[in-house]
Amino acid sequence: GAFADCYEDHAKAAGHEVTAFSKGEELIAALRDKPAPHALLLDIVMPGMNGFDILTTIRKEQLAPSLKKLAKFKNISYVLGEHQLEDFRDRDMIIKAAGVALDSPFVAEAAKHGIPVKMDASLFAELAPEGVTIVGITGTRGKSPTTQLIYHVLSQATEEEILLGGNVRGVSNLALLDEVHDDSIAVLELDSRQLHGFGATKISSKIAVFTNILDDHLNYYGGDREKYFADKAQIFLHQGEGDTFVTTPEVFERAQVFL
């Protein structure tokens, strides 16, 4: 259609490699044979499979290898492609992803029934041995390169295995629990949504690095910059005696309301 052609032309003009499909089935078939693209643009109404059907199919096929490995555990049940309120009752724990909305009715349902809602990065910090040093890095800009720089310097300086996690692509924070030791150092890149989980658990990293604070990523907070900063502040808010907070004068001034 005209809109698809327009998006295709603009993406190509911006230097991106673009492949267009007229039917969802053709897209699914192509994804099975080619590396995953950096982005998919789907329409709700499409010939044959609609955008939601395509997304559900992709997710199911991506999960298939993991589900096959887990098939031996007969006490695990799966709900794919949707959430059901009854699944958020009578549970020991709910683990939510960082992108789940703050006003999610499913999280509210768990809270109503007194079920703890955890996030993977904060759960790692909560379950890691007491002697582990967690270096947490946050900020609106610069947290990714700062995280990688700190990780590289510590790896070279100590000649030991430094754990890298948090908001790092391809890393499972909970799987790091199999690698962590009493004297491990873990370097975690933490965005504001992950730090919301730290706040719920009332923990902070022993060494907190806060690069800067800008008016960005506010759509998650409904445009409320104070809520955004309050989640960021969890990286230092629950620190204890002997812990370290590294930041800029601007951030430190705004942090005074919490200190």
Side-chain angles (χ1 to χ4, degrees), residues 28 62 83 93 99 106 136 161 175 181 198 232:
I28 295 296
Q62 288 177 333
H83 292 308
M93 181 190 299
F106 305 104
E161 182 180 1
H181 304 291
F198 276 69
K232 287 286 193 185

Side-chain angles (χ1 to χ4, degrees), residues 15 19 130 180:
T19 303
E130 187 175 345
V180 72

Side-chain angles (χ1 to χ4, degrees), residues 24 50 173 204 219 231:
N50 62 38
N173 292 305
S204 294
N219 56 325
D231 272 353

Side-chain angles (χ1 to χ4, degrees), residues 35-205:
H38 290 97
L40 280 175
L41 180 61
L42 303 173
D43 197 351
I44 295 177
V45 180
M46 298 176 66
M49 302 175 71
N50 62 38
F52 291 119
D53 292 336
I54 293 171
L55 190 58
T56 299
T57 300
I58 292 171
R59 287 174 172 170
K60 285 184 176 180
E61 293 194 2
Q62 288 177 333
L63 285 171
S66 296
L67 293 175
K68 185 177 180 180
K69 293 179 181 178
L70 294 169
K72 62 182 179 180
F73 299 103
K74 303 302 181 183
N75 60 335
I76 300 178
S77 59
Y78 304 94
V79 178
L80 305 178
E82 63 176 345
H83 292 308
Q84 300 172 355
L85 279 178
E86 56 264 32
D87 291 330
F88 293 82
R89 306 166 188 151
D90 192 28
R91 298 291 184 265
D92 295 321
M93 181 190 299
I94 302 294
I95 300 179
K96 73 167 186 173
V100 174
L102 291 171
D103 60 354
S104 164
F106 305 104
V107 173
E109 185 71 11
K112 184 173 72 175
H113 292 274
I115 301 171
V117 178
K118 305 287 187 178
M119 300 178 71
D120 62 348
S122 55
L123 188 56
F124 165 79
E126 183 180 356
L127 298 178
E130 187 175 345
V132 172
T133 298
I134 293 180
V135 183
I137 300 94
T138 197
T140 307
R141 294 283 186 272
K143 59 182 175 291
S144 293
T146 303
T147 299
Q148 294 294 334
L149 177 62
I150 292 174
Y151 170 74
H152 178 75
V153 169
L154 288 175
S155 297
Q156 295 297 314
T158 64
E159 297 184 350
E160 296 180 1
E161 182 180 1
I162 307 298
L163 301 180
L164 178 66
N167 187 32
V168 177
R169 182 185 292 271
V171 174
S172 166
N173 292 305
L174 295 181
L176 292 176
L177 291 170
D178 291 333
E179 305 176 36
V180 72
H181 304 291
D182 290 342
D183 57 350
S184 292
I185 298 175
V187 179
L188 305 182
E189 177 186 339
L190 300 168
D191 62 26
S192 61
R193 294 170 297 183
Q194 290 172 314
L195 285 167
H196 183 83
F198 276 69
T201 312
K202 299 189 182 306
I203 56 176
S204 294
S205 54

